[in-house]
Amino acid sequence: MVFLSSALSDSRVEANNEANKSQFSTSVYGTRWATEPTPRYVLPENEMPPEVAYKLIKDDLMLDGNPSLNLASFVTTYMEKEAEKLMKENLSKNFIDYEEYPVSVELQNRCVNMIARLFHAPMDNSDDEAMGVSTIGSSEAIMLAVLAMKKLWQKRMKEKGKPTDKPNLVMSASVQVCWEKATRYLEVEEKLVFLQEGDYILDPQKAVDLVDENTIGVCVILGSTYTGHYEDAKTVNDLLMVKNQENDWDVPIHIDAASGGFVVPFINPDLEWDFRLPLVRSINVSGHKYGLCYAGIGWGIWRSSRYLPEELIFTVNYLGSDQASFTLNFSKGASHVIAQYYVLIRLGRFGFTAIMKNLMNTAEILANKLEETGKFKIISDRNGNGLPLVAFKLSAKKIHYDEFDVAKKLRERGWIVPAYTMAPHTEHIKVLRIVVREDFSRERCNVLIHDIVSTLDILDQLDKDYIHKQRTAASRWSLLRNVTHSTYVLKKPETPKTRGIC
Ligand SMILES: *Cc1c(COP(=O)(O)O)cnc(C)c1O
């Protein structure tokens, strides 16, 4: 073919072939690529052999933290090999191609069914069914839920002939950063209930007091990112029912169960936080947190199709049949949905209960041991009414190091334990937090306790100047991170960094 031969005689192709000569005569480290900088800014002119590209990237990634030792994150770092196998086998499927991959869609629907029932969605009326959708994570589900609440509020206000330009959302100041994104992107005013020292749970009365006729909804968090506490959805529901009735409003509750949605049903089944409460209209949960899947899956569940305005659901037919689309993104991988279905049928209620109980016990032991050292004050819940995590601070006031120094020192052993400041109005309080995840065994917990005690011994012996010098010097390591963060448009200097904790 003329076209092909002329393409092959392109001088660039020849140069490329020249550049790649003798590539297999030695190991990757004997080639020129081992001595050249890895391409960073410009698409390289020439190709490189797959083994070389693989090695360059793999070696680069060595400087990432070890996910199993990352006690900062709620996000799953362990899945069974059968789940991983299913994920790999389905990596090439685009979930949105419903017509082509109907079984993947069916698995999503089965997950929605199971999760909606786990959250006690009413099943008694067939024309008033719960609805749900898989998302990339809780953030996407929250974005959709806020959008739905805003549209429904606008509709109610229009019917009453009232203005619709000042919607607000009531929530605690300890919301996860995605709520700030949702309100800013969707132009909804945040009405924050501030917390106070020693009392880190939303005050239901204060929340309901902030509700007015422009309130599109109240967010209640099932498992605060900061301390793991469960906010009191039942009391908010009861107070809001009265206020709605008095004013002829219909302000709903959205439950942010990103972390708690797969813990509470197994540990505190009698706690009423979900669709058992009449005003709870939508719930989000992260499949990739205690739903025990790798990052990339969340769920949005609505009590009934009535709370999902029709104008938000798009019907498209480019892929061969009519299909409904209610997500922010169009394409996404199917493997995470499949993995979630695997976890649900593999573990069942029995498996989830066994795992969550172990995690709760480990968290309790960890909290007790930390307290026994006499050096820490525990601020997370101790009565089994919170997420399996331990949030704690140094109890001594006058010491020459702080929680951030402890975190930094632990990092030298490989442990990633975050230090952060609390939510607005309590930001003077510094906290360390250890999230107990599935792969945090009792043995690993014991080693960590030993290392925390040693860390304090070391810090006690180091003098103040040395620690301060280390703080300044350590900031140089963040150079690499700043490069990658330069595209992070939301970064505002006045926003406390720690609000990005996930
Ligand atoms: C993690 C978290 C989110 C965000 O969830 P993603 O699944 O990471 O998008 C929202 N709210 C709470 C309470 C969380 O813990």
Side-chain angles (χ1 to χ4, degrees):
M1 253 161 68
V2 180
F3 178 74
L4 187 63
S5 63
S6 73
L8 282 175
S9 69
D10 186 303
S11 62
R12 287 184 173 196
V13 174
E14 274 167 23
N16 185 35
N17 289 341
E18 198 56 35
N20 286 345
K21 261 187 194 151
S22 81
Q23 54 189 263
F24 293 116
S25 65
T26 174
S27 87
V28 167
Y29 299 109
T31 66
R32 63 181 179 81
W33 290 283
T35 61
E36 288 172 0
T38 312
R40 271 191 171 65
Y41 305 108
V42 180
L43 180 71
E45 207 57 54
N46 296 313
E47 60 175 354
M48 62 174 79
E51 307 89 314
V52 175
Y54 174 81
K55 257 303 189 189
L56 288 183
I57 298 170
K58 190 171 169 76
D59 288 358
D60 247 356
L61 287 169
M62 293 281 186
L63 283 171
D64 262 354
N66 177 343
S68 295
L69 302 184
N70 177 6
L71 308 179
S73 176
F74 288 98
V75 177
T76 300
T77 49
Y78 164 79
M79 289 189 80
E80 288 177 318
K81 63 180 187 311
E82 288 79 6
E84 292 185 346
K85 189 158 177 267
L86 276 172
M87 291 182 82
K88 274 188 207 135
E89 288 165 1
N90 289 282
L91 276 177
S92 60
K93 287 186 186 166
N94 182 1
F95 185 73
I96 199 72
D97 294 349
Y98 296 167
E99 175 76 1
E100 288 77 0
Y101 309 126
V103 181
S104 299
V105 180
E106 162 66 14
L107 299 192
Q108 164 192 258
N109 297 348
R110 291 183 200 170
C111 291
V112 167
N113 269 281
M114 289 185 196
I115 297 168
R117 283 174 172 81
L118 190 66
F119 296 170
H120 298 95
M123 293 291 157
D124 42 6
N125 187 347
S126 60
D127 61 10
D128 187 18
E129 283 184 327
M131 287 187 73
V133 67
S134 68
T135 56
I136 298 293
S138 278
S139 309
E140 187 187 5
I142 286 168
M143 210 70 81
L144 295 170
V146 172
L147 203 51
M149 289 190 284
K150 184 176 167 184
K151 291 279 170 203
L152 289 173
W153 166 82
Q154 281 172 337
K155 200 162 150 230
R156 287 195 302 270
M157 292 298 272
K158 275 187 195 140
E159 279 165 10
K160 291 183 180 173
K162 296 197 168 172
T164 58
D165 57 338
K166 288 209 159 39
N168 70 59
L169 190 73
V170 172
M171 55 198 181
S172 119
S174 63
V175 284
Q176 209 261 2
V177 67
C178 71
W179 284 93
E180 293 177 72
K181 280 196 200 176
T183 49
R184 207 177 302 170
Y185 292 179
L186 304 174
E187 302 188 314
V188 175
E189 184 203 341
E190 297 175 358
K191 280 199 162 192
L192 297 180
V193 183
F194 292 102
L195 310 180
Q196 38 190 313
E197 185 157 3
D199 181 12
Y200 303 110
I201 318 180
L202 175 102
D203 178 337
Q205 187 65 57
K206 280 191 195 160
V208 174
D209 285 348
L210 286 179
V211 171
D212 60 28
E213 69 173 346
N214 290 325
T215 302
I216 65 168
V218 178
C219 158
V220 174
I221 311 168
L222 195 79
S224 149
T225 319
Y226 290 86
T227 61
H229 286 107
Y230 300 143
E231 294 181 345
D232 182 355
K234 172 131 189 21
T235 308
V236 174
N237 177 84
D238 296 351
L239 294 171
L240 193 54
M241 293 265 281
V242 175
K243 189 154 185 175
N244 274 346
Q245 206 158 30
E246 282 171 4
N247 297 283
D248 190 25
W249 296 340
D250 189 25
V251 179
I253 297 173
H254 174 90
I255 305 282
D256 179 357
S259 297
F262 281 113
V263 178
V264 175
F266 309 108
I267 296 293
N268 324 75
D270 296 330
L271 185 71
E272 288 182 52
W273 63 277
D274 52 15
F275 294 119
R276 280 168 287 184
L277 304 174
L279 285 182
V280 172
R281 304 266 167 86
S282 48
I283 300 176
N284 68 276
V285 62
S286 297
H288 53 219
K289 290 186 176 175
Y290 290 106
L292 307 179
C293 294
Y294 289 139
I297 182 89
W299 301 91
I301 312 279
W302 283 262
R303 179 184 202 92
S304 135
S305 56
R306 272 189 286 149
Y307 304 118
L308 207 49
E310 244 164 57
E311 73 253 43
L312 297 183
I313 301 176
F314 290 83
T315 305
V316 291
N317 65 1
Y318 347 103
L319 300 167
S321 75
D322 278 350
Q323 51 186 271
S325 167
F326 178 50
T327 48
L328 297 181
N329 218 71
F330 189 67
S331 299
K332 72 169 176 184
S335 56
H336 289 82
V337 174
I338 295 166
Q340 182 77 80
Y341 182 64
Y342 169 86
V343 171
L344 293 178
I345 64 165
R346 150 82 177 114
L347 293 177
R349 190 175 278 280
F350 173 84
F352 268 100
T353 309
I355 291 169
M356 298 307 154
K357 279 199 168 144
N358 271 354
L359 301 189
M360 293 298 289
N361 286 338
T362 302
E364 193 182 317
I365 288 171
L366 180 59
N368 290 342
K369 291 256 171 78
L370 288 173
E371 201 174 51
E372 278 166 24
T373 65
K375 309 240 174 180
F376 297 110
K377 183 173 178 335
I378 310 294
I379 63 169
S380 42
D381 176 85
R382 306 294 295 279
N383 304 315
N385 293 316
L387 297 172
L389 62 78
V390 184
F392 56 108
K393 60 196 297 313
L394 288 161
S395 44
K397 289 254 169 353
K398 291 211 166 99
I399 34 173
H400 57 286
Y401 54 87
D402 68 5
E403 287 78 359
F404 287 84
D405 297 315
V406 175
K408 229 171 272 161
K409 206 86 205 135
L410 279 170
R411 190 74 195 251
E412 289 171 15
R413 274 283 278 162
W415 298 110
I416 304 174
V417 174
Y420 51 94
T421 52
M422 291 291 285
H425 288 201
T426 45
E427 58 267 79
H428 58 285
I429 302 169
K430 297 173 194 164
V431 181
L432 291 154
R433 185 193 68 190
I434 294 165
V435 175
V436 177
R437 284 194 316 267
E438 188 182 359
D439 52 342
F440 187 71
S441 62
R442 201 62 55 82
E443 177 55 26
R444 192 170 282 169
C445 175
N446 289 338
V447 177
L448 174 67
I449 292 164
H450 171 270
D451 287 352
I452 291 178
V453 171
S454 312
T455 294
L456 290 196
D457 282 347
I458 296 170
L459 287 169
D460 281 334
Q461 286 165 40
L462 294 177
D463 64 48
K464 196 174 167 179
D465 281 354
Y466 180 80
I467 290 177
H468 279 256
K469 267 187 205 144
Q470 262 208 332
R471 280 185 197 170
T472 347
S475 62
R476 290 194 202 121
W477 291 115
S478 59
L479 187 69
L480 182 69
R481 272 190 235 144
N482 287 344
V483 172
T484 48
H485 277 185
S486 60
T487 52
Y488 183 47
V489 287
L490 274 183
K491 195 170 165 195
K492 273 201 319 183
E494 71 270 26
T495 307
K497 274 198 212 98
T498 51
R499 302 216 69 194
I501 53 167
C502 51

